[in-house]
Amino acid sequence: MKQFKILLFILFTSIIYKTNAQVTTPVASTVNNSGFQFSLRGGYDLIPMYDNNTPYIDYKGGLELGASADYYWNWFGLGADFDYIKNSPKNTYPTTNLFFGGAPISGLNFSKDNITRTFYGIGPSFKYQRSNRFSTELKFRAGLGNIKGGKLLLDGTTSTLLPILLNYHAGYDAKNVLSGKASLQFNYFFNTTFGIHAGAYYLRHFGVDELVDTTTGYSSAYAPFTTTSTLNETPKNNITTLTPANRESCNCDISSIGVYAGITIKLSPGVKEKKVCSECIQCTVCGKTHMPPMCACQTCGCKVSITARDKYTKEILPDTDIVLVNSSGQTTNTGKTNGFGVVVFDNVKTDNYTIKGVLNSVNLIDGTLTIQELSNCQANGGVISKEILYGDRNFIIKGRAFECNSTTPIAGINVTLENKDLAVKKSTMTDSQGNFLLQLPETGTYELYGRKENYFSQIERVTGGDYNRDKNLFVKLEMCAEKVDCGKGLNLKNILFDLDKYVIKEVAKPELNRLVRFMLDNPTVKVEVGSHTDCRDTHKYNATLSQNRANASVDYVVSQGIDRSRISGVGYGETRLLNRCADGVNCSEAEHSINRRTEMKVICPN
């Protein structure tokens, strides 16, 4: 098992090293190695190794927590480490089929204490850094350690109640033990300050004194035993004496191998890039010729950070397209804002620029970036921060389309926002996750629906007047559509009739209009409208009433421009009940209402 853990450790460090080696590229002229570096970590003490006189006790790995502080002058630095480690003793003495003098040993009692180890150390650090993103560190520390705990006791009794000490170790309480540590750490930085790391360590405590029990005089002890067995018999562990095999206390080493990961914070002084040049070289970024002794290596380009915001609510705007247009009208830099509404352009040449942005086909208010700002950017740390504003008074619907009664998104459905009275109609397609964006005017009520083959969309009504544009830019909406399979009935809601009547009421028209919209969007399909009643009254009466109601629904759909040859009505009466409420069954009004319904289904082509 210990060999397997060592193989895991080697594999872990090899993978990290290979990854670091593959993704780094030599950019020596822009790398800054000097400054303070702080790390917080958590990990697992993978392979603890206790050199002591306990033949029937092993040790298990556990939690590792630590912190480091380093200062680097370049590739060389000096640092300090603190580590807290927890291990646990593991009994390996047999606990079954124990006998003494032919009598079984019972009443086993087992207890153990965890071991805690702390380490404080200082020493040299070595750093290999090929870019500002990645670095590798090798650290050596010398210091002091404290080891406490680890007591283990296993005893039992014979049939005559004689106590037998089976396995014992008094544990540790050692302070200020000379200790050493080596670690290999790999860092990845998201920016000039913050990063993450992973690594592995080897820690050793030298000459750790074991405790000695003041009552028994034992540091470690166990009951000697022999194992005997005969054919078809479970092996017996026979205790040979009641006097434990006493082991002297050991002044032995404790060591372990572990892995860890955590965060790294780097505090570096400003980058100073100077080089004495024998001749003047033109900078390819800013176009200027620099004179000795600071020419080719002088920083020329500027980094420009642009944040997109809403003018009224100050909300940040992710996924906004941003471009820089120079004084000649050429687009020199393009990008899209991240989840924080920011895009960063590196090495922007000195010129006058117009900053342009587009969000969901709407232009943002142009911003400016001047020669003066770029000329002074080095005095401001080499970074210029600009802002560009979205000034449109329309809301933005940030929506998602799902299949009804599920969480399955619908990709590629054409979502339409429409107001026929104002002659406004806007459409967009959903992405692979069902997401879409649409502009919603401040005034008016609009219908939102989806169009896709074999989908029967709900129609959502949204009114701009329900929202305050000075407080909200985004309106979050969800819409659903039902998957249509030919021959499968879909319930049309709110198709309600007065008692014994078959006149279409106003409350039914929005749902029938949804059917009209589906048939307009799918001009080749034919639809059946089926009307159903409950079991009350006679079969003949219910059949006639349901047929008249189905015909009324068909007449309304035809009046909205659908050819009559594409739609038919069928009155099913009480022949297709959805529950137990047949003739002679006592049911509540709510149960009967389930059977009174109007359905649509696409007629399967024959």
Side-chain angles (χ1 to χ4, degrees):
M1 184 62 183
K2 185 169 293 185
Q3 289 81 353
F4 176 70
K5 291 181 178 178
I6 293 174
L7 287 175
L8 283 179
F9 165 73
I10 295 172
L11 179 63
F12 173 82
T13 54
S14 299
I15 290 174
I16 296 178
Y17 177 80
K18 185 177 181 181
T19 302
N20 190 50
Q22 288 177 342
V23 295
T24 54
T25 55
V27 194
S29 62
T30 61
V31 173
N32 184 21
N33 289 326
S34 62
F36 283 101
Q37 186 167 297
F38 303 95
S39 299
L40 294 175
R41 60 183 172 270
Y44 190 77
D45 195 56
L46 190 66
I47 310 172
M49 292 167 281
Y50 286 73
D51 296 333
N52 54 31
N53 294 324
T54 56
Y56 295 105
I57 299 178
D58 199 358
Y59 293 86
K60 298 189 295 183
L63 175 70
E64 187 274 340
L65 297 173
S68 298
D70 294 89
Y71 185 85
Y72 283 98
W73 287 273
N74 191 346
W75 57 269
F76 175 78
L78 185 65
D81 277 21
F82 167 75
D83 290 276
Y84 171 86
I85 297 172
K86 180 180 285 189
N87 298 134
S88 177
K90 178 183 178 182
N91 175 64
T92 60
Y93 192 89
T95 56
T96 59
N97 300 312
L98 292 171
F99 291 83
F100 176 73
I105 297 175
S106 60
L108 293 181
N109 175 55
F110 176 72
S111 64
K112 66 175 182 177
D113 296 331
N114 289 329
I115 304 172
T116 57
R117 294 188 284 140
T118 56
F119 169 74
Y120 308 84
I122 61 173
S125 302
F126 304 90
K127 179 163 63 173
Y128 176 65
Q129 184 162 352
R130 301 182 65 187
S131 75
N132 283 322
R133 293 287 186 187
F134 294 93
S135 66
T136 302
E137 296 178 89
L138 180 61
K139 304 179 182 183
F140 298 97
R141 302 287 187 259
L144 300 176
N146 299 319
I147 301 93
K148 185 177 180 62
K151 181 178 180 180
L152 183 145
L153 172 65
L154 175 67
D155 60 15
T157 56
T158 65
S159 58
T160 60
L161 301 181
L162 282 174
I164 298 181
L165 178 63
L166 299 173
N167 198 17
Y168 178 76
H169 185 242
Y172 301 91
D173 189 12
K175 295 180 175 62
N176 300 323
V177 177
L178 179 64
S179 304
K181 178 187 173 187
S183 63
L184 182 65
Q185 179 171 311
F186 304 93
N187 304 298
Y188 174 80
F189 290 94
F190 301 104
N191 50 45
T192 57
T193 302
F194 183 77
I196 56 176
H197 67 260
Y201 65 86
Y202 174 76
L203 174 63
R204 191 173 190 94
H205 307 284
F206 299 95
V208 183
D209 289 326
E210 296 178 294
L211 288 175
V212 177
D213 185 89
T214 56
T215 302
T216 63
Y218 297 154
S219 171
S220 62
Y222 70 94
F225 67 94
T226 59
T227 302
T228 60
S229 64
T230 58
L231 187 64
N232 299 323
E233 183 182 69
T234 303
K236 293 182 179 180
N237 299 307
N238 297 300
I239 307 300
T240 58
T241 176
L242 291 176
T243 302
N246 181 17
R247 300 298 180 103
E248 294 183 359
S249 61
C250 177
N251 184 254
C252 299
D253 293 356
I254 296 175
S255 60
S256 63
I257 295 173
V259 294
Y260 61 88
I263 61 173
T264 301
I265 298 173
K266 183 168 61 174
L267 303 178
S268 301
V271 179
K272 297 180 181 179
E273 298 179 349
K274 297 183 179 180
K275 183 177 179 181
V276 177
C277 307
S278 59
E279 58 181 317
C280 296
I281 301 176
Q282 188 177 42
C283 178
T284 59
V285 179
C286 62
K288 295 181 180 180
T289 299
H290 301 289
M291 299 296 292
M294 295 171 58
C295 52
C297 297
Q298 180 175 336
T299 301
C300 305
C302 290
K303 179 178 291 186
V304 179
S305 173
I306 301 172
T307 302
R309 294 185 184 275
D310 179 49
K311 176 180 178 181
Y312 306 102
T313 66
K314 304 306 178 184
E315 292 177 81
I316 60 172
L317 305 178
D319 300 317
T320 302
D321 294 304
I322 305 292
V323 300
L324 293 183
V325 180
N326 66 14
S327 59
S328 302
Q330 299 173 320
T331 299
T332 59
N333 300 79
T334 64
K336 187 183 290 288
T337 59
N338 59 22
F340 300 98
V342 177
V343 64
V344 178
F345 297 131
D346 293 320
N347 296 327
V348 178
K349 297 180 181 180
T350 303
D351 200 348
N352 287 316
Y353 293 90
T354 300
I355 307 173
K356 294 182 175 291
V358 178
L359 176 62
N360 196 33
S361 303
V362 176
N363 293 327
L364 278 66
I365 301 171
D366 289 350
T368 59
L369 178 61
T370 66
I371 287 179
Q372 184 65 32
E373 290 174 308
L374 290 168
S375 299
N376 296 332
C377 78
Q378 294 306 319
N380 298 322
V383 179
I384 298 175
S385 297
K386 303 293 289 185
E387 195 170 79
I388 185 170
L389 300 177
Y390 178 89
D392 195 286
R393 289 296 299 184
N394 288 332
F395 296 97
I396 297 178
I397 296 177
K398 183 181 285 187
R400 295 193 74 187
F402 293 91
E403 291 188 12
C404 293
N405 302 316
S406 79
T407 58
T408 304
I410 306 176
I413 186 171
N414 189 311
V415 181
T416 300
L417 186 72
E418 184 175 17
N419 184 314
K420 293 181 180 178
D421 296 333
L422 300 177
V424 175
K425 187 174 183 179
K426 303 178 181 181
S427 298
T428 189
M429 299 288 287
T430 60
D431 62 18
S432 60
Q433 298 300 315
N435 299 310
F436 65 90
L437 295 176
L438 276 172
Q439 259 69 32
L440 171 68
E442 280 190 283
T443 59
T445 299
Y446 296 80
E447 291 185 344
L448 184 76
Y449 58 88
R451 292 183 297 157
K452 186 175 183 179
E453 186 177 359
N454 297 328
Y455 278 91
F456 186 31
S457 173
Q458 298 285 351
I459 298 178
E460 304 290 340
R461 295 174 68 85
V462 56
T463 302
D466 293 340
Y467 306 93
N468 186 339
R469 180 62 183 85
D470 293 317
K471 295 183 179 180
N472 301 98
L473 170 61
F474 295 104
V475 175
K476 294 184 179 181
L477 286 179
E478 292 184 353
M479 57 159 288
C480 78
E482 297 172 277
K483 188 71 177 291
V484 175
D485 296 319
C486 68
K488 176 184 176 182
L490 296 179
N491 189 31
L492 297 176
K493 301 174 183 178
N494 297 323
I495 310 299
L496 306 175
F497 298 90
D498 290 332
L499 182 64
D500 297 331
K501 303 293 183 182
Y502 46 89
V503 176
I504 297 296
K505 302 173 70 173
E506 286 298 319
V507 71
K509 291 181 180 180
E511 192 74 351
L512 290 173
N513 289 337
R514 187 163 75 101
L515 177 58
V516 172
R517 169 57 56 194
F518 172 76
M519 297 188 73
L520 290 174
D521 294 339
N522 297 271
T524 62
V525 303
K526 294 183 178 182
V527 170
E528 175 194 290
V529 175
S531 180
H532 302 260
T533 68
D534 58 35
C535 69
R536 293 177 292 188
D537 222 308
T538 65
H539 284 272
K540 181 178 180 180
Y541 174 83
N542 286 333
T544 301
L545 180 62
S546 63
Q547 185 62 55
N548 288 335
R549 289 176 172 177
N551 291 340
S553 299
V554 169
D555 290 341
Y556 177 83
V557 172
V558 171
S559 73
Q560 302 302 304
I562 302 300
D563 191 284
R564 189 175 290 275
S565 64
R566 295 180 58 205
I567 186 167
S568 58
V570 177
Y572 288 98
E574 58 181 283
T575 61
R576 296 189 178 182
L577 301 176
L578 296 178
N579 55 24
R580 65 187 181 88
C581 299
D583 290 337
V585 178
N586 185 21
C587 290
S588 66
E589 178 59 32
E591 290 176 306
H592 282 303
S593 67
I594 294 173
N595 295 315
R596 298 194 301 272
R597 66 196 187 279
T598 299
E599 297 178 337
M600 66 79 79
K601 66 179 177 182
V602 173
I603 300 174
C604 297
N606 187 5

